[in-house]
Amino acid sequence: MPFETPRLDDRTFEDLVQEARRRIPLYTPEWTDHNLSDPGITLIELFAWMTDVMLYRLNRVPDKHYIKLMELIGMHLQEPQAASTPLTFWLSAPQGADVQIPLYTQAGTPQTENNPSITFSTTEAFMIHPAQLTYVMTSEPPKKSGQSRTYRELNLKRLNEGFDGTLMFSDEPKDGDAIYFGFKTDLSHHILGFEMDVDVAGGAGVDPSRPPYEWQALSETSPIAWNECEVDVDGTRSFNVPGVVRIHLPKLEEGEINGHRAYWVRCRIIEPPQGVPQYRKSPVVRQLTAGTWGGTIPASHSTVITSENMGRSDGSPGQNFFLEFSPVLERKDDERLLIRISNEQEELWTEVPDFAGSGADDKHYTIDSDTGELRFGPAMRQQDGTIRRYGAIPPKDAVLVMKKYRHGGGAKGNIQRNALNVLMTSIPYVNTVRNRASAIGGLDRESLEHAKIRLPGYLRSLDRAVTANDYEYLALQAAPGKIARVFALQPPNSSIGEVKVLLIPHVGNPKGYIEPGELEVPQETCERELAVARLDPDGVARSEAAGQKLAGQRCLH
């Protein structure tokens, strides 16, 4: 059974007061006024308070031993983690030229009197391209086994001008009929809109509120795979009245259909559920134009600070400085410290987790993510009396500039969908921003109690995976807040050291409706998980997430 850390003294303030009052008749029987207004009772409470403070400090001794043990073996409390969610930027109207969404574009929640705004920043730049529709064709599934799908190409110019109407599907629509739209440019993660003028006499037989079709985008070409598109609005009422259809596109891949290479989107007839009517005859489109209304970009709960002046070096070892904002998120490659010795001489220094392996000339520093403290290496006396420096010292009067860092993170970033609706960075032609999915993955700094639970697994693995339990433990630590459960399995008849790791993503609200995208493990998380799998040169590691095998060291894709 597990050890229980005892409290060295479990008496409380009330216990101490009551114990002293019980001793009054024994030592001073003439003292009969025990009311709170009596000065003696006041003194008892004063000394009880002082004793309670000392007991509190005494009971912290076991925690201090835990901390010193973790420091000794190189274990640290996990840093705060930033929540992430896709941000959708809407244009005021489709534009004829590219619209750029810069890197670190910010959006936030509305600020109130009691609650400050929670800010998210995009993690990549994005270009909203105009839709260049180059091909439109309809198709029917093979009538017999072994036959190929038949295509009928439509006159795009006449369709744009509205000269005549054309059937969108076959005369009697059936499951598998589709209309294809080919685009010249890659519209991955764009909001694509179709403005349609349809014949009100066409598309008979369906329930306008329950269309028997779905929008899909070509996302893989080998093998061919079509991913479903999220429909934002369908104002055509199942292609029965003129209107606008807007859909959110996933990742696209260029492919060839009927001899034409393009980025393809299609509307495909599906077998309707029980009780939902099917088309008796095909809808007729008279005019069609396409345009892009915006795009969706990954974002994280963070704010970017650039070129922060931290002060000047005094030339002594072990100096420490503090960043203006904290907690500080995990640093990227371009988030480093710049030492400006003079106007002509600058040096980029390197962050390290500790100074144990730093030599006297190594330009190293450490950062405490929770407090934002930046520290340089100390100088320590050795056994032979010499002084050894653990890391170089910035020259006296050198200016310290943090080129870039991101602060934020924490559980407060796990906000609900559509909560981010304030655009904090002005962008031409962009007037609306929304997060269409809840933000997940935000974690506060790890507590000491949680670290105590994690300590046995850390000691067992020491960042090296040997057993299946080691893989499970390290996989959970590689992406805290992103992965809820991990299961590692070694096939019984495998002779090449194969390990399969199944990742189950964290879901923000498991008791409510779960969006399909919430069950997909982000590619960035999968790459971090696979980096944990360090096997022998002849070993093979496979990670399976959401039913898909992902590439890694000597991994099959």
Side-chain angles (χ1 to χ4, degrees):
M1 51 187 298
F3 292 104
E4 293 185 5
T5 304
R7 289 177 58 87
L8 302 185
D9 195 319
D10 58 358
R11 289 177 294 177
T12 65
F13 170 80
E14 291 296 334
D15 294 334
L16 295 170
V17 171
Q18 293 302 323
E19 181 179 348
R21 295 183 67 162
R22 285 194 297 269
R23 292 173 182 264
I24 292 175
L26 177 63
Y27 292 101
T28 55
E30 63 276 9
W31 183 0
T32 57
D33 186 3
H34 299 167
N35 294 317
L36 295 178
S37 58
D38 185 76
I41 299 297
T42 303
L43 288 174
I44 287 178
E45 292 183 340
L46 174 62
F47 282 99
W49 172 78
M50 295 172 61
T51 305
D52 186 44
V53 171
M54 288 189 292
L55 293 180
Y56 168 77
R57 296 174 67 88
L58 180 64
N59 287 323
R60 294 294 303 274
V61 171
D63 287 344
K64 184 176 181 179
H65 289 168
Y66 262 108
I67 294 172
K68 291 302 180 182
L69 173 61
M70 288 187 286
E71 290 177 348
L72 182 64
I73 63 177
M75 181 178 174
H76 303 281
L77 296 180
Q78 291 178 341
E79 301 175 352
Q81 300 293 318
S84 59
T85 185
L87 279 180
T88 301
F89 294 83
W90 290 82
L91 301 177
S92 55
Q95 302 298 313
D98 293 341
V99 176
Q100 184 178 14
I101 308 295
L103 177 66
Y104 302 131
T105 298
Q106 294 185 350
T109 58
Q111 182 175 352
T112 64
E113 183 178 354
N114 299 322
N115 298 314
S117 177
I118 300 175
T119 303
F120 277 64
S121 302
T122 57
T123 57
E124 59 186 53
F126 190 83
M127 191 72 72
I128 301 175
H129 303 292
Q132 301 181 40
L133 183 60
T134 53
Y135 306 106
V136 179
M137 60 183 71
T138 62
S139 74
E140 298 179 17
K143 293 183 174 58
K144 296 181 180 179
S145 177
Q147 292 182 345
S148 59
R149 180 181 288 269
T150 58
Y151 295 90
R152 178 171 61 91
E153 192 166 346
L154 306 184
N155 189 311
L156 185 58
K157 182 176 181 181
R158 297 181 67 85
L159 195 59
N160 287 336
E161 300 297 333
F163 287 146
D164 51 17
T166 182
L167 298 178
M168 297 182 64
F169 310 110
S170 58
D171 294 337
E172 296 181 359
K174 52 186 174 297
D175 183 22
D177 284 3
I179 181 169
Y180 291 77
F181 305 93
F183 294 90
K184 182 178 180 180
T185 53
D186 185 2
L187 301 180
S188 296
H189 307 296
H190 282 55
I191 305 171
L192 179 62
F194 294 99
E195 188 171 352
M196 295 183 177
D197 183 9
V198 299
D199 192 341
V200 295
V206 297
D207 181 353
S209 63
R210 306 172 72 182
Y213 55 77
E214 64 181 5
W215 289 89
Q216 298 176 327
L218 183 63
S219 298
E220 291 185 28
T221 57
S222 181
I224 293 179
W226 294 85
N227 283 352
E228 186 176 355
C229 303
E230 179 186 344
V231 178
D232 179 70
V233 63
D234 188 348
T236 66
R237 296 185 63 80
S238 301
F239 304 128
N240 279 283
V241 296
V244 175
V245 177
R246 284 198 294 264
I247 58 176
H248 297 275
L249 298 179
K251 179 72 173 69
L252 303 184
E253 185 169 335
E254 187 178 23
E256 184 175 316
I257 297 179
N258 198 33
H260 300 300
R261 292 197 64 81
Y263 296 91
W264 294 96
V265 176
R266 73 180 182 181
C267 181
R268 179 176 176 271
I269 297 292
I270 60 175
E271 185 69 29
Q274 185 73 24
V276 178
Q278 182 60 277
Y279 284 112
R280 292 199 303 269
K281 60 179 183 177
S282 172
V284 177
V285 58
R286 295 191 176 277
Q287 188 176 17
L288 182 144
T289 57
T292 51
W293 288 82
T296 301
I297 316 171
S300 65
H301 176 208
S302 62
T303 302
V304 180
I305 306 298
T306 58
S307 301
E308 181 178 307
N309 192 326
M310 303 185 65
R312 292 180 179 270
S313 169
D314 61 9
S316 63
Q319 298 176 73
N320 64 320
F321 299 82
F322 286 88
L323 296 168
E324 183 177 356
F325 300 98
S326 62
V328 184
L329 298 179
E330 183 179 3
R331 270 67 67 195
K332 298 182 178 180
D333 293 339
D334 60 342
E335 298 176 357
R336 298 175 64 183
L337 177 67
L338 176 70
I339 303 295
R340 184 172 293 138
I341 301 174
S342 64
N343 292 334
E344 294 79 21
Q345 186 178 1
E346 294 180 344
E347 297 176 345
L348 281 175
W349 286 40
T350 303
E351 181 183 353
V352 293
D354 54 63
F355 298 109
S358 300
D361 298 324
D362 292 331
K363 298 177 173 61
H364 292 169
Y365 64 93
T366 64
I367 292 182
D368 187 313
S369 298
D370 187 50
T371 62
E373 180 185 16
L374 185 147
R375 181 178 291 275
F376 294 100
M380 301 181 64
R381 183 180 296 275
Q382 304 300 299
Q383 290 180 332
D384 59 0
T386 60
I387 301 297
R388 177 185 171 183
R389 294 206 316 263
Y390 289 85
I393 303 172
K396 186 176 181 179
D397 293 330
V399 179
L400 280 61
V401 179
M402 195 67 185
K403 289 188 61 179
K404 183 191 299 183
Y405 70 95
R406 295 164 299 118
H407 70 90
K412 65 179 181 180
N414 298 325
I415 58 178
Q416 299 299 314
R417 60 183 301 178
N418 297 325
L420 295 169
N421 51 30
V422 179
L423 185 61
M424 297 183 172
T425 306
S426 179
I427 305 174
Y429 310 112
V430 175
N431 66 346
T432 305
V433 63
R434 288 286 189 277
N435 61 309
R436 301 188 345 262
S438 299
I440 61 173
L443 292 177
D444 294 328
R445 184 174 186 263
E446 185 181 27
S447 66
L448 179 60
E449 294 302 319
H450 186 273
K452 291 178 183 178
I453 298 174
R454 194 165 57 90
L455 181 59
Y458 183 87
L459 287 173
R460 183 177 62 247
S461 64
L462 294 177
D463 284 339
R464 295 176 179 85
V466 178
T467 67
N469 289 337
D470 294 340
Y471 277 96
E472 294 174 0
Y473 169 79
L474 293 176
L476 281 174
Q477 306 312 310
K482 303 293 193 303
I483 301 300
R485 295 175 61 191
V486 178
F487 183 74
L489 176 67
Q490 182 177 5
N493 298 323
S494 175
S495 60
I496 58 174
E498 179 182 7
V499 176
K500 291 186 177 181
V501 181
L502 177 64
L503 309 178
I504 302 177
H506 174 79
V507 176
N509 182 18
K511 296 183 179 179
Y513 174 73
I514 300 176
E515 298 281 352
E518 294 186 67
L519 299 178
E520 298 179 3
V521 180
Q523 182 64 27
E524 178 184 357
T525 301
C526 294
E527 292 172 355
R528 296 182 67 175
E529 298 290 353
L530 287 165
V532 174
R534 299 189 181 96
L535 299 180
D536 294 333
D538 294 332
V540 175
R542 290 189 180 92
S543 290
E544 297 185 3
Q548 298 179 348
K549 291 183 178 179
L550 304 166
Q553 290 184 352
R554 297 286 307 275
C555 293
L556 302 179
H557 185 75

